[in-house]
Amino acid sequence: MDPVIQPTQSEPGDRAALPASAGSPETDSPSPQSSGWLDGRASAIVSILSGILVFAVVISRNTWIFSTRVSESGDFAANSILVDKASQFDLLVGHESRLGFHHPGPFFLYVQSWGETLFHDITGLVPGEFNAQVLSIVVLNSVLAGLCAFIVGRRVRPVWLCLIVPVAVLAIPMLLPGALTSTWPPHAFVMPFLLLLIASGSVLGGQTKDLPFAILAMCMLGHGYVSFAVFVIAFAAVITLGLIFRWRRGNLRLSRGTIIASAVILAVFVLPIVLNLILNWPGEIAKYVEVAQDVHSHTIGQAARFFSALFEGQTSSALSYGVAALALILASLLAVLAKRTQPDASRLLVGMLAAAVLATFLTVYYVMFGMDDLRPTFTYAAWFFYAVPATIGIVLGLGLGVQASKRRVWQALFAVVIALLAVVTVSAPGQAAAYLGDRDIAPATKFIAEQTPPGGQVILSFKGLALVPTLGIAEEANRTGLNVCIDNAVPSDVGAHVFTPERMCTDAQMAAGRVVQVRTLKVGEPIPPKLQDSYVGTMPLWDPQIDRFIVSFSN
């Protein structure tokens, strides 16, 4: 059995704290004032409440999930096509890249597939498939928030201080609207990255029981961007070196449960990647190498401007860097001061800061050597970095909370401050989803269906940015039972890559089907007379010069 976590300070109801033990929970002697399993149960309860809080707040600001059916287009529809494959357990790769390859792992797509099955197909809890995908991501993010709070709650006293974690999580959408509700990968990677920083920080701070959580976070990110391999390798190396250092000092204790849990998590996540290599050798590796060779390095000045663009609209560049430096210094000071009364909490906070600093250096490296384009349009590739200021904010809050725990009056005042911050984050506009689907996809698909005889074959053809609505129409048609395939004249790097080979038209379908052309219209461009009987929809803002798309039959 894993050893019970021992607190290093009395509960808040005690008038005075007993002398703190210098021990680490798994390496040294237990604290004399430990209340044993009660502390573990309390941290578990508060962490569950933290996850429920995040879920309740996000859902309360997005009730449309349960009332309004939404159809998606563009990247969201491209992911839905892969989600359909995941529902058949036929997916071994991740989401597609604009550079012509698929990222390594399918974890997030399987989560959305299982959510679609549970929340839409089985229970009918939501009215649409995409609604179910959004709900599944909200659930995942809420669970990850609860895990982060659990890690903190086992090491900081009083245990209610871990409620700072959900407040910080709910503050992320204030900087990145829709971060907790979007199925788009750049949004979906924020919470796993936060778990990586907190769990890795805990392990670096001496708590080996949190190793499975750190491995879980690394594996989730390993199923994200291929560039995350740099982060995973670096964090794994630092954690391994830390464990080796403790082993050489003779104070490393890894329980059997920790080892088994870590191994199982690693095996589950590695399995689809290995299977893809075996079944489709060399898989995506050749494409990764080819793209990596074409990426040119950028200067530190270009990277600095990229980070300024990343936080554009929040503060000026100079002020933002100054605030970040001041926050890091203050957080470091509070983490060290916590050692006087809660040495174990201090180790956690120092470890979290170390993880945040490491992540910052790695992100700078990623921006300079791993990104092909640093224009502001592509800052989404580094949105995961928003987890770093969130981590520093959590350390600041916990550090202040540890100091406030010395007096009941201070505790009460600090609790009021946290409650006020919670109110601010709950009411933030960013809690509402940034993407509410494409309202013209369903009507456009219905227009096609109404002019197609039962069982008739439809061939979707498009060029350029007409890909965006075509993706949505193809997915909506699949859901409504309309026989649709993609014109095999479309280049394979777009057609088979984005729509998957299974959705490309065969020669027989091309011969028997009726072609539907999807075009785009520029701002102010009139509808051609021969297309007056077509369906015209609003084009999502991908190009400011294009505002509509038009769907028409070619024969």
Side-chain angles (χ1 to χ4, degrees), residues 470-534:
T470 303
L471 281 164
I473 293 171
E475 180 61 14
E476 182 71 10
N478 182 65
R479 291 168 178 169
T480 57
L482 182 62
N483 292 328
V484 165
C485 63
I486 306 302
D487 190 342
N488 60 20
V490 174
S492 60
D493 61 339
V494 176
H497 170 65
V498 177
F499 290 91
T500 71
E502 294 82 2
R503 299 206 182 193
M504 301 302 295
C505 295
T506 63
D507 291 340
Q509 289 173 318
M510 290 294 298
R514 190 179 181 192
V515 177
V516 171
Q517 186 73 42
V518 183
R519 303 176 176 88
T520 57
L521 294 174
K522 293 183 178 180
V523 176
E525 180 182 356
I527 300 175
K530 64 179 180 179
L531 300 180
Q532 290 298 325
D533 294 331
S534 305

Side-chain angles (χ1 to χ4, degrees), residues 250-381:
N251 61 0
L252 175 64
R253 294 177 60 188
L254 278 172
S255 70
R256 181 180 301 175
T258 297
I259 295 174
I260 294 176
S262 300
V264 169
I265 292 171
L266 187 62
V268 168
F269 278 84
V270 168
L271 179 61
I273 297 176
V274 172
L275 284 177
N276 187 53
L277 289 175
I278 294 174
L279 299 176
N280 304 294
W281 178 260
E284 302 291 311
I285 293 180
K287 298 177 183 178
Y288 297 158
V289 174
E290 179 182 352
V291 171
Q293 292 174 343
D294 291 336
V295 174
H296 302 289
S297 62
H298 307 281
T299 66
I300 188 67
Q302 291 173 317
R305 288 191 291 273
F306 177 85
F307 278 98
S308 297
L310 182 64
F311 292 96
E312 182 182 5
Q314 311 304 325
T315 58
S316 65
S317 299
L319 180 58
S320 61
Y321 287 130
V323 170
L326 180 62
L328 183 60
I329 293 172
L330 181 58
S332 301
L333 178 62
L334 289 171
V336 173
L337 287 176
K339 188 175 182 179
R340 296 181 178 180
T341 54
Q342 297 192 41
D344 190 43
S346 176
R347 283 187 286 270
L348 169 66
L349 301 185
V350 171
M352 289 171 60
L353 287 177
V357 171
L358 175 60
T360 300
F361 280 110
L362 291 172
T363 305
V364 172
Y365 177 85
Y366 160 67
V367 170
M368 292 179 64
F369 302 103
M371 290 188 60
D372 66 311
D373 197 327
L374 297 189
R375 286 179 296 173
T377 308
F378 297 98
T379 54
Y380 65 81

Side-chain angles (χ1 to χ4, degrees), residues 91-94 103-111 114 140 143-144 147 188-189 192 195 211-224 232 260-277:
L91 184 65
L92 298 175
V93 295
H103 289 282
F107 169 76
F108 295 94
L109 298 169
Y110 271 101
V111 168
W114 296 333
L140 174 63
V143 170
L144 295 178
L147 290 179
F189 298 152
L195 177 63
L211 181 61
F213 297 130
I215 290 178
L216 173 63
M218 286 187 279
C219 287
M220 291 174 66
L221 293 174
H223 278 223
V232 172
I260 294 176
S262 300
V264 169
I265 292 171
L266 187 62
V268 168
F269 278 84
V270 168
L271 179 61
I273 297 176
V274 172
L275 284 177
N276 187 53
L277 289 175

Side-chain angles (χ1 to χ4, degrees), residues 151 155 195-207 214 235 239 347-355:
I151 293 169
R155 303 188 66 175
L195 177 63
L196 172 68
L197 299 181
I198 293 178
S200 297
S202 182
V203 176
L204 293 174
Q207 180 58 284
F235 269 89
I239 290 175
R347 283 187 286 270
L348 169 66
L349 301 185
V350 171
M352 289 171 60
L353 287 177

